[in-house]
Structure formats: structure tokens, C-alpha cells
Amino acid sequence: MSANGETLLGAPSPTPGVDAYLGIPFAEPPTGKLRWRAPVAFVGRDGERSATDFAPACMQSPRILDWYRGMAERFGASRAVFPDLAVSEDCLYLNVWAPRERRGERLPVLVFFHGGSNRSGWSFEPNYHGHRLAAQGAVVVTIAYRLGAFGFFSHPELAGEPAQANFGLWDQLAALRWVQRHIAAFGGDRGRVTLFGESAGGGDIAALMLSPTAHGLMHRAIIQSGGDFGWAGIRTLEAEQQRGVELARAFDTDQPPDLAALRDIDAGRLLEVAERVFSEHYHAPVVDGVIVTGPLRQQLATADWPLQQLIIGTNADETYSDEQRGADEAAIDAAVGSAAVLNTDAVRAELRSTADAATALNRLGTADSMLCPAQQLASAVALGRRQVWTYLFSRVREGAAAARLRAYHGAELPYVFGTHDDWLPTVAVDRRITREMMQAWVAFAATGSPEGEHIPRWPRHRPDSEPQMLRFDAITGPIAPPEAVLCAIYRERTAASPSQN
């Protein structure tokens, strides 16, 4: 296989008939003077390149790794099933899984953006290996992008640069340009590129699917448990620049290093300080005037988007924690008070009908951060004359450990990729849902519709009539969206938000 002027030496994947090409560079290392600059396209060195091993993950703390180890432990496995993670600032690599036999046709392309609050996560987490999904009839790509203060950062001295912020998004665009240049060599159709991503990865996709910079680079999108998308307001470039000043002052209060000096600081030391300074900060895209051109409603009003069709969905228990079962009414009141949008007395009144505090807190957190903003984005995109489908993933695996977690944030990922960990209880129902989700994702990438012969009936989202969504569960089928009362309050509150008008 040839890409970047090099011959890539891949290897058969664990799924027969699917080859894997791992650790392919798509940009030059963003180190030294290239730190906090737009990525520079990788220039091949000619000759052969081994593509059988994953490259290091981007700079990050072990937050997600610890989450995986904790999950394994909860299901009775050893934390050691997840080895230590190698990280590096030289991390802009991608991975490709491609069916070997293609009968001459170009296959749809699915490009995955990992989650992790734009602060952690990596392209080759165990549930993101794409060989089983590719076997359904697609070329699957997973990409890396700069994280935390390396990828979501600005500084006053960056004013006037082509890229002043959102470096993680610039990396994602660079990876998509690589796909346009090279995916045909793997059997992919560059005219049918579907982005799919979970959590922060889904939120980043929401930014790109409305951005003029992504025209010609993507066509469809699947957003799995994405963030709030900016209905209550998107951060400004000026605020992001002040974070750069704050980071510099953390190194020296009296004489903060300038941008050139910040670029010279060792990556490990920079990570250590940034993790402390921004421990409570969510690294989200900001309005930079290039990729993110304005507040969300302003972007939606143009309707000149790269996006053609959209699937967007939420898990039933995105924020559930069984450790909150003993919480009292005061805890619920405090959570309502700190909610981004659902912070009203009407919300408190609605939650009083909930049987236990842990469920009430989950209803609030799931609705405020994911379910209601996703439903609102679905309606806005449909009003922009795009076809939209929505879903709710509510499957809870068998056993006591799964019952304590419910349909948690990220629970759908092993179903989408067909990568159920050995320690996860997986029975016939789970395997059936896996087939349904993989087939729907690939059908959508291929045709622009998730419907097919072996896929349950999935009604389109229609904001001008009673909306329906598809629930993936022991019985998969159409339902009315949950939390009608909370989402009505959410729509009313964000419609009145001055930052969006």
C-alpha cells in the first residue's frame, strides 16, 4: 500500500479478510517551533514504512487509562489487562482497517474521533480497533489529535497567525485531508466520508460539520453522546488567549515566559503544569473566526454546511453513579443550581417525582449535557433540510456489576466496533445489538440512510411532527424521546440566551 510517497507494510488484522495499517503519520511532529501552529502535512521519506504498530498517544495524564482499569476491576478482571500507555508530543498518526477483497468497488469511509474531554484518550483504545466494523463493508480510520493545553489553547502572541486556537480541530482537518489524498489506495471512496465520534470527539464533529473549513472533507456525521455543542454560548478567542497568559504565569508569576519560551518547555513539564492549572477546565472549541465562525445559532443560520446527513444519539445513563444513591434533596438542589441550562425551579419540581436521588441526578446530568442539546441540534439540522436520525442506547448488560453502571457514558462503543472486552458479560442480545449498530453505521456511510434489510425500522427525526428515535436495547425499536418536560425547559432557556441571539 502506498501513501505519503512511501510503501506501507501493514498486516492481517484479527478479522479474516481485513488488513490493518497502523501508526501512519499524517502531519509532521508538532514539536518545538511547530507547537501551537497549524499542522504541517507529512512529507514521505520514500522507501518502505512498517505500519504494524500503533504510534504513541498524544500528551495526556493517565485519566482514561485509569478509567479503563477501574472498569475491568469492577467486572472482576485485573487492572493489568490494560498496560501502561506511551505518550509523546509527536503523535499525529492515524490507523486504517480495510477489507482485502473489494470486487473493484470503492467502499464508504468511516473516520473515528475519540473522546476524552479533549484532554485525554487515544485513537487505538481497545474498543476502537476497526477490523470488525471494516468487515461490514467499509474502510475504517481512527485518528489522533492534540489534547489539553497542546491542542485547545491560545495566547495573545498568536494573534495574526493562520491558526490562533483550536489546534486539535486543525489536526482533525489535516487527517481528513490525508484521507482525501490517500484513502483510494486502501479501497475507500473519498466522496463518501462519514465522521463518527463519541463524547468530546462527537462535539468536535459538531463543530466541523458546520464549518466552511470542512467542505469537501466530510459528507455525513454520527455523533455519539456528544457535548452541549454551545447552545448556552461558545467561548471567545479572547478568553482562550487569557488562558495562555494564565499558563505562562504558572511558570513564573513575576516574569511569565513569552510564547517562544513556552514552546521550548519540555512537553512533560508543560503537561504537568497545565493539568494542575486547568484541572477543572473543559477543553472545548472556541470561536476563532476560521473553523468556528460564530455562536451556534449563527452557524446554523447559514445552512451552508459540509454536512449532508446526520445520526445523533445519547445513552440513557450518561452521568449515573450508584455511589450517589444516598444523596439527599439538598444534593439535587445543588446539582440543579450548577447545571449549565437546567437550573430552574421547574426542573427541581420535575425531579421530585424521581424515586431515588442517584436517578434524579442522572436525569438532570444526562438531559442537561447530552440528551436535550442533541435533540435540539437534531431539530436545527433537520430544519436546515438535512436528513437526521436520532437514537437512545439503553442496553444494560447482564450481572450485578453492569446493573450498578446502567447504560453508562461510552457503553455503546463496543457495540459500534464489535470489540467487547473479554471481561464484559456479552450474551446473544448484546451480539444482536452489535450487528444492528455496525450494519446501521456502515449502511449510513454507504447510502446516507441507516435503514436496511436487517436493520430495525428507524424513523427520521422530523421537528414539525411528533419526534421519534430508535432505542437500542433488548427490544430495539422506535420510541418517543425521553425527558419531554426537561427538554422543553432546555429549549425555552436556550432560546432566551442572549449569547446566542
Side-chain angles (χ1 to χ4, degrees):
M1 198 66 63
S2 178
N4 300 328
E6 300 175 321
T7 299
L8 301 178
L9 305 178
S13 77
T15 296
V18 175
D19 290 328
Y21 300 87
L22 312 177
I24 305 170
F26 65 86
E28 296 291 338
T31 59
K33 293 182 179 180
L34 294 185
R35 181 184 287 173
W36 301 314
R37 294 191 190 277
V40 176
F42 177 79
V43 178
R45 276 53 169 175
D46 296 326
E48 296 180 343
R49 172 182 288 271
S50 175
T52 57
D53 296 300
F54 296 112
C58 290
M59 296 298 297
Q60 61 190 276
S61 74
R63 188 175 70 97
I64 294 295
L65 179 62
D66 288 343
W67 181 87
Y68 273 115
R69 287 171 169 171
M71 286 290 288
E73 199 169 44
R74 294 187 74 154
F75 282 95
S78 168
R79 295 174 67 88
V81 297
F82 292 101
D84 291 342
L85 178 68
V87 300
S88 172
E89 195 174 6
D90 176 6
C91 64
L92 298 184
Y93 298 81
L94 53 77
N95 314 296
V96 180
W97 289 268
R100 196 173 305 136
E101 299 295 331
R102 297 183 289 272
R103 298 182 297 278
E105 75 225 30
R106 297 280 182 212
L107 298 177
V109 181
L110 280 157
V111 182
F112 183 69
F113 291 18
H114 70 77
S117 303
N118 284 328
R119 177 180 173 185
S120 48
W122 56 98
S123 67
F124 53 96
E125 292 177 32
N127 291 143
Y128 306 161
H129 295 195
H131 47 94
R132 292 188 181 92
L133 186 58
Q136 303 297 314
V139 176
V140 177
V141 183
T142 67
I143 69 169
Y145 56 97
R146 282 172 281 182
L147 303 167
F150 294 88
F152 294 83
F153 172 90
S154 190
H155 189 280
E157 291 182 51
L158 287 166
E161 293 283 335
Q164 298 184 57
N166 296 327
F167 299 101
L169 300 187
W170 283 95
D171 295 341
Q172 292 161 2
L173 290 168
L176 295 177
R177 292 189 186 98
W178 185 97
V179 167
Q180 286 296 306
R181 289 193 299 268
H182 300 295
I183 207 64
F186 300 85
D189 182 352
R190 67 178 191 171
R192 290 186 294 168
V193 174
T194 297
L195 311 186
F196 70 125
E198 188 262 352
S199 194
D204 293 347
I205 288 172
L208 294 186
M209 75 186 194
L210 304 177
S211 175
T213 58
H215 274 295
L217 301 180
M218 57 85 64
H219 308 92
R220 299 164 185 142
I222 304 172
I223 298 175
Q224 303 169 206
S225 300
D228 69 4
F229 309 116
W231 288 110
I234 300 177
R235 295 190 192 102
T236 65
L237 178 60
E238 291 74 21
E240 194 84 331
Q241 290 171 341
Q242 286 309 302
R243 285 206 312 117
V245 173
E246 184 181 358
L247 180 63
R249 285 176 176 160
F251 286 97
D252 190 327
T253 304
D254 296 327
Q255 292 185 309
D258 62 11
L259 185 63
L262 285 172
R263 285 183 168 132
D264 284 339
I265 292 173
D266 173 75
R269 174 65 175 148
L270 184 68
L271 174 66
E272 175 189 348
V273 172
E275 285 285 300
R276 172 172 52 81
V277 173
F278 304 129
S279 60
E280 302 300 321
H281 179 80
Y282 188 89
H283 297 275
V286 301
V287 176
D288 62 356
V290 180
I291 298 178
V292 182
T293 56
L296 184 56
R297 281 199 178 89
Q298 179 181 316
Q299 296 174 68
L300 288 164
T302 70
D304 179 26
W305 320 319
L307 180 74
Q308 297 173 6
Q309 295 94 11
L310 173 68
I311 292 174
I312 186 168
T314 309
N315 294 357
D317 306 291
E318 300 279 9
T319 61
Y320 180 78
S321 171
D322 62 338
E323 297 174 358
Q324 296 174 323
R325 283 179 294 179
D328 56 15
E329 189 170 316
I332 296 173
D333 285 344
V336 171
S338 62
V341 176
L342 296 176
N343 49 23
T344 70
D345 289 338
V347 172
R348 288 187 179 88
E350 170 64 20
L351 294 178
R352 287 194 189 106
S353 65
T354 312
D356 65 275
T359 299
L361 291 167
N362 174 62
R363 287 184 63 194
L364 173 66
T366 297
D368 191 60
S369 63
M370 297 184 192
L371 175 66
C372 299
Q375 288 291 298
Q376 191 159 327
L377 185 60
S379 294
V381 170
L383 288 171
R385 302 185 181 222
R386 298 333 193 250
Q387 294 178 319
V388 182
W389 292 262
T390 65
Y391 73 85
L392 180 75
F393 181 90
S394 57
R395 169 63 178 167
V396 178
R397 294 176 188 264
E398 295 188 354
R404 288 192 295 269
L405 291 165
R406 300 190 182 179
Y408 56 88
H409 187 58
E412 86 290 357
L413 286 163
Y415 296 82
V416 169
F417 282 91
T419 50
H420 301 279
D421 303 273
D422 292 340
W423 41 268
L424 281 174
T426 305
V427 298
V429 168
D430 301 299
R431 289 188 284 272
R432 190 212 79 223
I433 297 171
T434 301
R435 290 193 298 272
E436 291 170 347
M437 296 191 82
M438 287 200 298
Q439 289 172 2
W441 267 226
V442 171
F444 178 74
T447 68
S449 168
E451 300 169 292
E453 182 180 354
H454 303 294
I455 303 169
R457 185 177 71 86
W458 193 338
R460 277 172 48 193
H461 180 86
R462 300 182 185 278
D464 54 351
S465 60
E466 193 65 30
Q468 284 191 303
M469 66 198 321
L470 188 69
R471 178 171 62 188
F472 290 101
D473 208 328
I475 299 175
T476 296
I479 61 166
E483 300 295 4
V485 172
L486 292 181
C487 288
I489 296 171
Y490 190 98
R491 287 192 299 273
E492 180 181 354
R493 296 273 293 161
T494 53
S497 173
S499 63
Q500 289 293 320
N501 294 331

